Amino acid sequence: MKKKHRLLLLFCMMVIVLALPLQVQAAKSKITLSGATKPTTIKQGAFFNMKGTIKSTYKLKEIRCTLYMSNGKTCLQRFVTYPNSYTYDLRRADPYLYFDRLTPGTYYYRVLCYDTKNYKKRVISKKFTVVGNGKIKIVNPKPSGNLTINEGKSYAIGGNITSTYTLGSVRARILDSSNKAVYSKTVNPKKKTYSLTNSTLDVAMLFDKLSAGTYKFEVTAVDTKGTSVRLIYRTITVKASGTTSGTNPGSTGGSTTNTGNYLNTSGTVTMPSGYVKRTARPAADNKYYYDKSYNIYYGYNSLAPTGKKMADDKNYVVGNCTWYACGRAMEIVAQAGGDINKVKAIFGPDPVGIFNMNVAKGMFKYGSTPKIGALAVFNYGNGGEAHIAVVEDIVNGVPYVSESGYALSTTKPTAATIIFKYQSIYNWAGGRSLKGYIYLR
């Protein structure tokens, strides 16, 4: 009996001894990675530092570090090493992959490991982008060179900005002789193109408010990758012209010395169907005049009767011909069931600029014959300013217009006190020649 117990005990011991190497042999392969760096966006020419520790249950037989094209299949660079160890520090592979030589585009960074049991595992597969410095340029900048204007004269800036990457910001500034910003405005386009023409920046650059002297005008653009370019940098010389303080002669008219039948029309004039002429001031709740989401001028205290003081903290704007004409044009187009965005597309510059913008964009027909519901645009007068009015009726061949004029006051305006006139086209057309009519209907 004792002999049987001994044999049984011996058999159990043999089973245990034989089982030990089988347990070791049956252990699963395991490869892990810790402390790794993975690229996301790299600037062209910049280095990327590979880091990370690879650990394996069995010895690492082979490690492949590879850079692929965006399709994940075409190999650009590869480093292969044979560690024959249980760990590997990826910093040892860093000198052999040249991230700094990649051109702008999309790539994959991958690390594949094999152990001595032929188990393989991809421990890194990271898609990343290489971005270039980007190019920002402007076509047809305006002014294209140094500029001289008369005091009180408006000037419309222009130019089309294009960028390799999305434009983060575009800033326009007028700087005085002490390099202090007189007017400054920044927009955030969030797209790759931006037109200065008829833009928010154009409206904010109040050249007509500059006193006699020398200034600098600049436009700077910055893309979302950090590239910054000064696109326009011009010297602006403003000459004294003896303009009456507080009043813009281009908007308020002048003498009635302008004569000639070129403003008139002959024959029977028929009022357009559904047309409602305006002979009184617009109400305070009229969105086309008093809402900046419609009227582009109403967002600026220096361009519209907003009831808020200008930057000088002294004066209020009590009227403006372009502000009024913009609102009235939207009103007319909306009444006819048209698209008011066509009005927005041409307004922004001074009156002559509005006419030229319409010609360039082809939004509305234009000509030299007055018609009811048309914008009447006048060239620059002796004081350096243009004027715009709206033809409401034609009586005995003479156009009658509704209009406003630019003026300042220390008294806060209301919708009931803004400058507004319904009168013969000759009353405020003094000293100017007709640029033409824009036919809104």
Side-chain angles (χ1 to χ4, degrees), residues 9-172:
L9 181 61
L10 180 61
F11 177 76
C12 291
M13 290 177 66
M14 289 177 65
V15 170
I16 292 172
V17 170
L18 291 172
L20 284 174
L22 289 175
Q23 286 178 343
V24 175
Q25 186 177 359
K28 291 183 178 180
S29 293
K30 185 178 181 181
I31 300 175
T32 60
L33 173 68
S34 62
T37 54
K38 299 177 182 180
T40 52
T41 300
I42 304 173
K43 277 197 170 185
Q44 184 180 8
F47 293 95
F48 171 73
N49 295 318
M50 298 168 59
K51 293 180 182 179
T53 301
I54 301 171
K55 293 183 179 180
S56 176
T57 306
Y58 298 102
K59 285 186 177 181
L60 292 161
K61 180 176 67 173
E62 181 180 330
I63 296 177
R64 300 179 185 179
C65 303
T66 310
L67 294 179
Y68 291 92
M69 292 290 288
S70 59
N71 59 14
K73 298 178 180 179
T74 306
C75 174
L76 285 177
Q77 300 178 32
R78 174 172 288 163
F79 171 71
V80 181
T81 185
Y82 307 95
N84 194 32
S85 63
Y86 294 100
T87 63
Y88 184 78
D89 190 340
L90 281 174
R91 287 180 294 185
R92 295 167 61 184
D94 183 62
Y96 303 100
L97 286 188
Y98 302 102
F99 288 84
D100 57 308
R101 295 183 182 178
L102 297 175
T103 58
T106 302
Y107 303 89
Y108 279 94
Y109 163 50
R110 289 173 176 163
V111 177
L112 181 64
C113 305
Y114 294 84
D115 68 12
T116 54
K117 300 300 181 181
N118 290 322
Y119 171 73
K120 67 178 181 179
K121 183 178 181 180
R122 182 181 288 164
V123 293
I124 294 177
S125 181
K126 178 63 177 177
K127 188 177 183 180
F128 67 99
T129 303
V130 176
V131 297
N133 292 325
K135 292 183 179 180
I136 305 175
K137 62 181 181 179
I138 187 169
V139 178
N140 299 323
K142 185 180 179 183
S144 58
N146 295 335
L147 179 70
T148 299
I149 59 175
N150 290 329
E151 188 177 12
K153 180 179 178 180
S154 293
Y155 184 82
I157 65 174
N160 294 311
I161 300 172
T162 58
S163 174
T164 306
Y165 302 107
T166 300
L167 289 165
S169 65
V170 180
R171 182 184 69 179

Side-chain angles (χ1 to χ4, degrees), residues 291-310:
D291 186 335
K292 66 181 180 181
S293 63
Y294 288 88
N295 194 306
I296 64 172
Y297 300 93
Y298 198 70
Y300 303 93
N301 300 332
S302 58
L303 297 177
T306 62
K308 297 179 181 179
K309 288 183 179 180
M310 295 174 57

Side-chain angles (χ1 to χ4, degrees), residues 74-376:
T74 306
C75 174
L76 285 177
Q77 300 178 32
R78 174 172 288 163
F79 171 71
V80 181
T81 185
Y82 307 95
N84 194 32
S85 63
Y86 294 100
T87 63
Y88 184 78
D89 190 340
L90 281 174
R91 287 180 294 185
R92 295 167 61 184
D94 183 62
Y96 303 100
L97 286 188
Y98 302 102
F99 288 84
D100 57 308
R101 295 183 182 178
L102 297 175
T103 58
T106 302
Y107 303 89
Y108 279 94
Y109 163 50
R110 289 173 176 163
V111 177
L112 181 64
C113 305
Y114 294 84
D115 68 12
T116 54
K117 300 300 181 181
N118 290 322
Y119 171 73
K120 67 178 181 179
K121 183 178 181 180
R122 182 181 288 164
V123 293
I124 294 177
S125 181
K126 178 63 177 177
K127 188 177 183 180
F128 67 99
T129 303
V130 176
V131 297
N133 292 325
K135 292 183 179 180
I136 305 175
K137 62 181 181 179
I138 187 169
V139 178
N140 299 323
K142 185 180 179 183
S144 58
N146 295 335
L147 179 70
T148 299
I149 59 175
N150 290 329
E151 188 177 12
K153 180 179 178 180
S154 293
Y155 184 82
I157 65 174
N160 294 311
I161 300 172
T162 58
S163 174
T164 306
Y165 302 107
T166 300
L167 289 165
S169 65
V170 180
R171 182 184 69 179
R173 296 196 301 172
I174 298 176
L175 308 169
D176 63 17
S177 57
S178 300
N179 211 38
K180 180 180 178 181
V182 180
Y183 297 107
S184 180
K185 183 68 177 179
T186 301
V187 295
N188 307 107
K190 296 181 181 179
K191 56 184 180 179
K192 295 182 179 180
T193 61
Y194 184 75
S195 176
L196 293 174
T197 307
N198 193 30
S199 67
T200 299
L201 297 183
D202 181 29
V203 174
M205 296 299 103
L206 306 180
F207 289 88
D208 57 314
K209 300 302 176 188
L210 298 175
S211 57
T214 302
Y215 303 84
K216 293 291 186 182
F217 170 65
E218 69 171 14
V219 174
T220 303
V222 182
D223 68 20
T224 52
K225 305 301 180 183
T227 300
S228 177
V229 178
R230 186 161 66 181
L231 300 167
I232 301 177
Y233 191 62
R234 309 286 187 239
T235 298
I236 308 296
T237 303
V238 179
K239 290 186 174 182
S241 61
T243 301
T244 303
S245 176
T247 303
N248 183 324
S251 294
T252 56
S255 67
T256 56
T257 57
N258 193 1
T259 59
N261 60 10
Y262 64 91
L263 294 177
N264 295 1
T265 187
S266 58
T268 303
V269 177
T270 303
M271 185 74 69
S273 176
Y275 187 84
V276 179
K277 67 180 181 180
R278 176 168 289 286
T279 59
R281 293 176 175 84
D285 61 352
N286 192 316
K287 62 186 179 183
Y288 299 120
Y289 300 87
Y290 296 105
D291 186 335
K292 66 181 180 181
S293 63
Y294 288 88
N295 194 306
I296 64 172
Y297 300 93
Y298 198 70
Y300 303 93
N301 300 332
S302 58
L303 297 177
T306 62
K308 297 179 181 179
K309 288 183 179 180
M310 295 174 57
D312 62 10
D313 203 30
K314 296 179 181 179
N315 295 297
Y316 298 93
V317 170
V318 294
N320 187 6
C321 69
T322 49
W323 158 76
Y324 172 79
C326 180
R328 182 61 180 139
M330 287 188 179
E331 203 170 38
I332 292 171
V333 171
Q335 282 178 357
D339 183 4
I340 64 170
N341 286 316
K342 293 174 67 176
V343 177
K344 289 184 179 181
I346 66 173
F347 272 84
D350 68 353
V352 172
I354 293 169
F355 188 91
N356 293 337
M357 185 69 65
N358 180 63
V359 173
K361 292 189 174 183
M363 292 294 158
F364 300 98
K365 293 180 180 180
Y366 57 94
S368 57
T369 302
K371 294 181 181 180
I372 295 173
L375 297 172

